[in-house]
Amino acid sequence: MKNYCFLLLSGCMMFCFGCKQARYQTPEKGVSFSLNEERKKSIDSIHYEIELDIPAGKNERITGQEQISFVLKSQDRPVVLDFSADGKQLISVELSGEKISYTFENEHIIIDPRNLEEGKNTISIRFIAGDLSLNRSEEYLYTLFVPDRASTCFPLFDQPNLKATYSLTLKTPETWEAVSNGGLLSKTADGSRSIYKFGKTKPISSYLFAFAAGKFFKISESIEGRNMTMYYRETDSTKVARNRKDIFNLHAKALSWLEDYTSFSYPFEKFDFVLIPSFQYGGMEHPGSVFYNESALFLDENASVNKEMARASVIAHESAHMWFGDLVTMDWFNDVWLKEVFANFMAAKIVHPNFPRINHNLRFLLAHYPNAYEVDRTAGTNPILQDLENLKNAGTLYGAIIYMKAPIVMRQLEKKIGDMLMQESLREYLKTYAFGNARWDDLIGIIDKKTPLNIAEWSAVWVKTPGMPEYLVIGDSIQQKKDAVSGRIWQQKLVLGKIAVDSLLLNFPNSDGTGYGYFEMDSAAKSYFVRNYAQKKDTLLSNPVFRGSVLVSIWEGFLRGAGPQPDVLVSDILRTLPKEQNPLLVDYLLGNLQTAWWLFLTEESRMELQTDAENSLWGLLERTKDKGIKTSYFRAFKSIAQSPDGLVKMESLWDGKLEVKGLVLSEDDKISLAYELALKSPGNTKLILEEQLKNTKNPDRKAGMQFVVPALSADPAERDAFFQSLKKPENREKETWVLTALSYLHHPLRAASAIKYLRPSLNILQEIQLTGDIFFPGRWLHNTFAGHSSKEAAAVSKAFLSENPDYPYYLKNKIIQSTDMLDRAVELKR
């Protein structure tokens, strides 16, 4: 072993190379952009051979060992590995069988380069695995390493542009199944243990490496020569049998479509997927081992068309990631939107042919625009392409701008350059950067070479600046209002619809629903639209895309104080619903109804409208023949019902004494009914919840209920104790359970008693960002503030931001986004 010395001096590391000294700054926690760039230049050809020993007990430690092989291009700087754990979990670091000295600083293993050689090196490390990203339950565990969480489990170079191959060995309890990215080479027994050896993967980024192990069922299918295995935990065999064929077929169709569109065969060794109860996301695109939220794929018997399309879309989305994100990966996580936009963009193309009866332009409008506006209308919005100084903050980049606005922008780009040029450019992009990394500007460069249009100029506004344009109608044209950011011009084609009424000509901006922005409408046009809703003799009013676009514009105007008043809006929606048969528009109207009901109506207004609203929704529930729409009306009724008659109906549905023809209630529906009854009938809270717990058969759903029940307690002291428990990270591990509990803890009916939880919830936000998964900080904030509409609640967030002027901007924006509706509710209630 070579000799070396080092000194720690003023936070800097001094490495002595004979008579020459090189000064090297100790890396900060996480992976800074500068460390990312250094390692990208100096390290190549990485292979990890990892072995983990997983005990049966959730709280027992997992021991591990690994060999990291890599090519070192230069010895002028230390080699830095990432291990975001306690230094005591690092047992040894060896080279060629001998222990070598190292420094562990700021969650990095720092090795003097003189211990290594230019060229190939192999380092062996023994360690105790960290638990943060292992998502352990008593009967199973699964990893989530996005965006930089692999280093919380084992040491590695944890950045997306250092792609590597992986070989994994897992030792598990003998009754457990295991799955990972690579194909299973062997499964052997060792006493009461099973040993799974998985084959070497293709080069993938560290956040895409994954494994799951536990008590899973599994089913395999082969469709047109493509073998797939599904792992799951659902115990309802009827539900599994009902969904099985569709799940496998949807995957097979998506993969075949993508191979044809991209002219690039499926790039990885195998295609398996794991359905996980209470999974944090809809899905996660690990090549060879895709993870899904189990409830998103195993649909209830009376699932709406929206639920069916959502399932098809998430399957197509994760399948598209095999090419867009896994084969070609962003160079740095600021371009994370690039993989997400193409996954969504491709998913829409894949799903459409499977639902010929659905108006897909309407679905695109309602699935993307309202959610994108929800962020883009706020003062905390962000551009699609964001700045990122350190990977530890990469999770804060995720949100509606990436998932909802970006596909709108991509659709505009395709219309601008044509679908053939788009496909040709994407094929070149995939071929050029296969198994490597690329940036958005690399794709723009490919497109710009093929067209005389200045796509880079278009991209500079739509992709690299935040916010949304605002428009008004002047004469016969739609004109953009003066933009507050450097006079930007948002290049897009806009359509103005017109309806002649007597001597008036009513204008409806964005009548085709493709334009992006706030389109100001005059009161005469809005009034006519509501009065004559869905009138078949009028070409525009009979067009569901037109109706959807105008409904979105009316809602946006309402939120900006352009009318109507909240009670009028609710009444308008209740009068409109019987005229609407399109399931997508029914769901949109019901969503706005519930938001307006709980956030924007005063308690007095709700009382005045309660009987009319309940009777209207119950009547529609009984009369509607479409089972999916019937389910939508049931869930809306369940949300707003509060009268004695409404609660009797809910309890009778829950205990089975009342049946509505065509309405099939799942175990999840029964649980949610129990929650609503416990909340709204405090005298029966304990009995109802105990009975539902007894009747719940699925062990994962039962465990979720047991977690949520204290948040529903009629006893404020018990709710206080539950909230206090959430301050401990170990009590936030099941994030979907936490979010459900928060929605009831902060329900509008409990909002006054929950104001005291707001400031403590903000106080631990930074910790939540470091310990939770990528969507959790935003969802924590949303479910904390979504039930509040009082000026007292609004004052809490404003005081917090005022008292913390140097608060991290990426979290500050999340707070502003999450409290925007609260602020608007306060303003509209004045």
Side-chain angles (χ1 to χ4, degrees):
M1 185 173 62
K2 299 178 181 178
N3 295 322
Y4 67 94
C5 66
F6 61 84
L7 297 170
L8 289 177
L9 184 63
S10 299
C12 297
M13 186 169 288
M14 302 289 293
F15 284 94
C16 306
F17 302 96
C19 62
K20 181 181 177 182
Q21 288 190 331
R23 191 175 182 88
Y24 182 72
Q25 183 74 35
T26 301
E28 61 187 271
K29 287 186 178 181
V31 177
S32 66
F33 182 70
S34 59
L35 177 60
N36 165 81
E37 292 296 286
E38 284 176 17
R39 296 198 299 204
K40 183 172 70 170
K41 293 174 184 176
S42 62
I43 296 169
D44 200 357
S45 305
I46 307 168
H47 175 67
Y48 300 99
E49 194 162 322
I50 304 166
E51 182 177 308
L52 297 171
D53 192 338
I54 302 172
K58 172 186 173 182
N59 296 318
E60 296 179 66
R61 67 184 191 179
I62 295 175
T63 57
Q65 54 186 339
E66 64 178 331
Q67 287 191 335
I68 307 174
S69 302
F70 58 95
V71 170
L72 185 63
K73 298 177 183 178
S74 171
Q75 287 182 285
D76 63 348
R77 302 182 78 77
V79 170
V80 179
L81 289 159
D82 312 316
F83 189 41
S84 303
D86 191 312
K88 295 177 182 178
Q89 293 173 240
L90 199 55
I91 298 171
S92 67
V93 180
E94 297 182 354
L95 179 71
S96 301
E98 293 187 41
K99 288 186 178 181
I100 58 173
S101 299
Y102 59 87
T103 301
F104 188 77
E105 293 283 335
N106 288 338
E107 301 175 347
H108 297 290
I109 303 168
I110 305 169
I111 301 172
D112 188 324
R114 294 179 305 159
N115 283 315
L116 307 170
E117 298 177 353
E118 287 194 14
K120 185 174 180 179
N121 295 268
T122 300
I123 296 174
S124 299
I125 302 177
R126 293 175 59 240
F127 59 93
I128 299 169
D131 273 346
L132 182 61
S133 55
L134 288 181
N135 299 280
R136 299 176 72 178
S137 298
E138 290 299 337
E139 294 189 338
Y140 65 96
L141 64 79
Y142 61 93
T143 61
L144 267 179
F145 290 153
V146 61
D148 65 334
R149 297 296 176 84
S151 60
T152 67
C153 181
F154 62 94
L156 78 163
F157 303 108
D158 201 2
Q159 61 191 64
N161 54 23
L162 286 182
K163 287 194 168 183
T165 54
Y166 293 80
S167 298
L168 175 66
T169 298
L170 291 179
K171 295 181 179 180
T172 74
E174 61 180 335
T175 59
W176 285 24
E177 295 286 346
V179 59
S180 187
N181 308 89
L184 181 62
L185 297 179
S186 66
K187 177 187 177 183
T188 57
D190 180 13
S192 62
R193 311 284 288 159
S194 291
I195 302 174
Y196 291 87
K197 288 187 178 292
F198 298 96
K200 184 178 179 180
T201 69
K202 294 285 183 66
I204 58 175
S205 296
S206 54
Y207 77 90
L208 294 169
F209 173 61
F211 58 87
K215 293 182 179 179
F216 288 97
F217 303 106
K218 67 177 181 178
I219 301 172
S220 295
E221 291 275 359
S222 181
I223 301 177
E224 297 181 355
R226 194 186 305 279
N227 299 316
M228 294 176 280
T229 300
M230 173 174 71
Y231 297 79
Y232 62 95
R233 285 191 43 87
E234 176 59 65
T235 55
D236 184 340
S237 58
T238 302
K239 177 182 279 193
V240 173
R242 185 174 63 245
N243 286 279
R244 169 181 174 168
K245 182 178 178 181
D246 286 339
I247 291 171
F248 279 106
N249 284 339
L250 286 168
H251 279 102
K253 288 179 180 178
L255 294 170
S256 295
W257 188 95
L258 285 155
E259 287 181 327
D260 181 63
Y261 182 89
T262 64
S263 192
F264 201 113
S265 297
Y266 175 69
F268 300 100
E269 300 87 345
K270 69 179 180 81
F271 192 90
D272 295 339
F273 46 97
V274 187
L275 279 55
I276 299 170
S278 302
F279 188 59
Q280 291 93 319
Y281 320 149
M284 181 59 205
E285 68 268 19
H286 314 118
S289 184
V290 180
F291 293 174
Y292 290 106
N293 186 309
E294 192 168 62
S295 63
L297 268 62
F298 285 147
L299 301 185
D300 295 329
E301 185 177 347
N302 57 335
S304 68
V305 68
N306 257 346
K307 289 283 188 182
E308 291 177 356
M309 289 192 68
R311 175 176 66 180
S313 294
V314 74
I315 287 173
H317 178 104
E318 304 308 333
S319 298
H321 270 314
M322 301 302 112
W323 286 261
F324 299 96
D326 296 2
L327 174 65
V328 179
T329 310
M330 65 274 164
D331 187 73
W332 181 239
F333 251 93
N334 67 324
D335 262 324
V336 64
W337 76 278
L338 186 55
K339 73 182 182 74
E340 298 303 334
V341 69
F342 279 121
N344 266 0
F345 185 64
M346 295 298 155
K349 291 178 177 291
I350 294 165
V351 167
H352 289 184
N354 295 324
F355 294 87
R357 294 185 293 110
I358 292 296
N359 186 315
H360 294 289
N361 287 329
L362 175 64
R363 183 177 187 271
F364 189 91
L365 167 70
L366 297 180
H368 293 89
Y369 286 71
N371 289 319
Y373 291 162
E374 190 172 322
V375 174
D376 233 4
R377 75 169 79 96
T378 76
T381 189
N382 53 266
I384 292 174
L385 179 60
Q386 302 174 63
D387 294 329
L388 180 64
E389 298 172 354
N390 192 303
L391 269 183
K392 67 182 180 181
N393 299 322
T396 63
L397 303 182
Y398 288 80
I401 297 301
I402 282 178
Y403 286 97
M404 302 303 172
K405 182 180 180 179
I408 297 168
V409 174
M410 193 57 64
R411 185 171 73 160
Q412 291 199 5
L413 176 60
E414 185 180 54
K415 287 183 176 182
K416 195 174 185 70
I417 66 175
D419 54 2
M420 294 299 292
L421 180 55
M422 176 68 88
Q423 184 179 21
E424 179 187 331
S425 300
L426 290 177
R427 285 179 171 181
E428 182 178 334
Y429 168 80
L430 291 173
K431 183 178 179 181
T432 302
Y433 299 103
F435 295 107
N437 302 81
R439 303 168 301 135
W440 165 248
D441 287 342
D442 294 323
L443 176 59
I444 291 299
I446 290 172
I447 296 173
D448 261 339
K449 288 188 299 183
K450 300 175 182 292
T451 175
L453 300 171
N454 189 337
I455 303 303
E457 180 181 79
W458 169 88
S459 169
V461 171
W462 281 100
V463 176
K464 298 182 179 181
T465 63
M468 56 194 285
E470 296 187 6
Y471 297 96
L472 69 166
V473 178
I474 298 179
D476 290 329
S477 66
I478 305 172
Q479 296 190 17
Q480 181 186 321
K481 292 183 178 180
K482 186 175 181 181
D483 195 284
V485 183
S486 305
R488 295 171 297 179
I489 300 298
W490 301 77
Q491 299 176 34
Q492 59 178 326
K493 183 180 178 181
L494 301 174
V495 177
L496 180 63
K498 294 178 179 294
I499 297 178
V501 181
D502 299 329
S503 59
L504 290 176
L505 194 60
L506 301 177
N507 294 311
F508 295 89
N510 195 32
S511 57
D512 68 344
T514 62
Y516 184 82
Y518 169 50
F519 297 88
E520 191 175 300
M521 292 177 59
D522 63 50
S523 57
K526 286 189 281 190
S527 177
Y528 179 86
F529 173 78
V530 172
R531 290 197 317 272
N532 298 277
Y533 188 85
Q535 194 178 87
K536 292 182 179 179
K537 66 180 181 180
D538 187 284
T539 304
L540 276 181
L541 290 170
S542 63
N543 184 334
V545 176
F546 171 76
R547 297 201 300 276
S549 180
V550 175
L551 286 172
V552 170
S553 292
I554 289 174
W555 180 254
E556 287 301 305
F558 165 72
L559 294 176
R560 287 169 169 78
Q565 291 299 308
D567 56 343
V568 175
L569 177 72
V570 167
S571 296
D572 285 347
I573 294 174
L574 291 172
R575 282 195 298 269
T576 298
L577 280 166
K579 303 176 186 178
E580 186 56 76
Q581 303 302 315
N582 186 293
L584 303 178
L585 288 168
V586 168
D587 279 354
Y588 179 69
L589 284 164
L590 288 173
N592 287 350
L593 172 67
Q594 292 169 78
T595 301
W597 183 266
W598 288 115
L599 282 191
F600 294 99
L601 288 181
T602 62
E603 185 176 354
E604 292 74 20
S605 294
R606 283 203 303 270
M607 290 176 64
E608 289 176 8
L609 292 168
Q610 189 77 47
T611 300
D612 183 36
E614 288 184 17
N615 289 342
S616 295
L617 292 175
W618 187 261
L620 288 165
L621 165 61
E622 289 190 306
R623 293 193 302 272
T624 300
K625 294 181 180 179
D626 183 286
K627 289 186 178 181
I629 298 178
K630 188 179 288 287
T631 300
S632 297
Y633 281 126
F634 156 69
R635 289 175 178 163
F637 176 84
K638 178 185 64 178
S639 169
I640 73 165
Q642 198 178 347
S643 71
D645 179 64
L647 294 178
V648 167
K649 286 186 171 76
M650 286 171 60
E651 187 165 358
S652 298
L653 285 171
W654 171 69
D655 63 18
K657 294 177 181 176
L658 173 64
E659 291 186 4
V660 175
K661 186 178 180 180
L663 180 65
V664 181
L665 298 181
S666 67
E667 192 168 73
D668 281 323
D669 288 326
K670 289 294 185 79
I671 291 170
S672 66
L673 271 171
Y675 288 167
E676 291 289 331
L677 286 166
L679 176 76
K680 296 170 182 176
S681 303
N684 297 327
T685 297
K686 192 171 182 180
L687 290 174
I688 289 169
L689 294 174
E690 285 178 353
E691 183 69 17
Q692 184 58 50
L693 272 169
K694 185 175 72 174
N695 294 336
T696 299
K697 306 303 181 186
N698 182 281
D700 296 314
R701 283 192 280 272
K702 186 184 287 284
M705 267 203 77
Q706 289 167 335
F707 180 88
V708 171
V709 160
L712 284 156
S713 174
D715 182 357
E718 190 172 352
R719 298 200 302 271
D720 290 348
F722 174 78
F723 176 76
Q724 290 298 323
S725 75
L726 295 181
K727 294 181 179 180
K728 297 180 179 180
E730 60 267 27
N731 294 327
R732 302 193 300 263
E733 289 178 357
K734 292 289 187 181
E735 293 179 1
T736 53
W737 297 357
V738 174
L739 295 171
T740 300
L742 286 177
S743 69
Y744 286 107
L745 203 64
H746 293 276
H747 189 280
L749 295 175
R750 294 263 177 87
S753 66
I755 288 177
K756 61 187 172 185
Y757 306 141
L758 297 180
R759 182 60 184 252
S761 296
L762 292 171
N763 289 342
I764 61 173
L765 182 60
Q766 285 182 277
E767 179 192 329
I768 282 171
Q769 189 253 320
L770 293 174
T771 58
D773 282 300
I774 53 179
F775 298 112
F776 194 46
R779 290 172 176 173
W780 169 272
L781 287 168
H782 178 271
N783 284 30
T784 293
F785 283 97
H788 292 273
S789 59
S790 68
K791 60 183 180 181
E792 292 81 8
V796 173
S797 63
K798 286 179 170 55
F800 178 84
L801 293 175
S802 175
E803 293 165 18
N804 294 276
D806 298 323
Y807 199 69
Y809 71 91
Y810 47 86
L811 290 178
K812 176 182 177 181
N813 284 347
K814 295 288 185 188
I815 295 171
I816 295 171
Q817 292 168 18
S818 298
T819 57
D820 180 74
M821 290 291 273
L822 164 59
D823 293 337
R824 293 177 190 274
V826 171
E827 188 66 28
L828 284 173
K829 284 181 176 180
R830 285 184 178 177

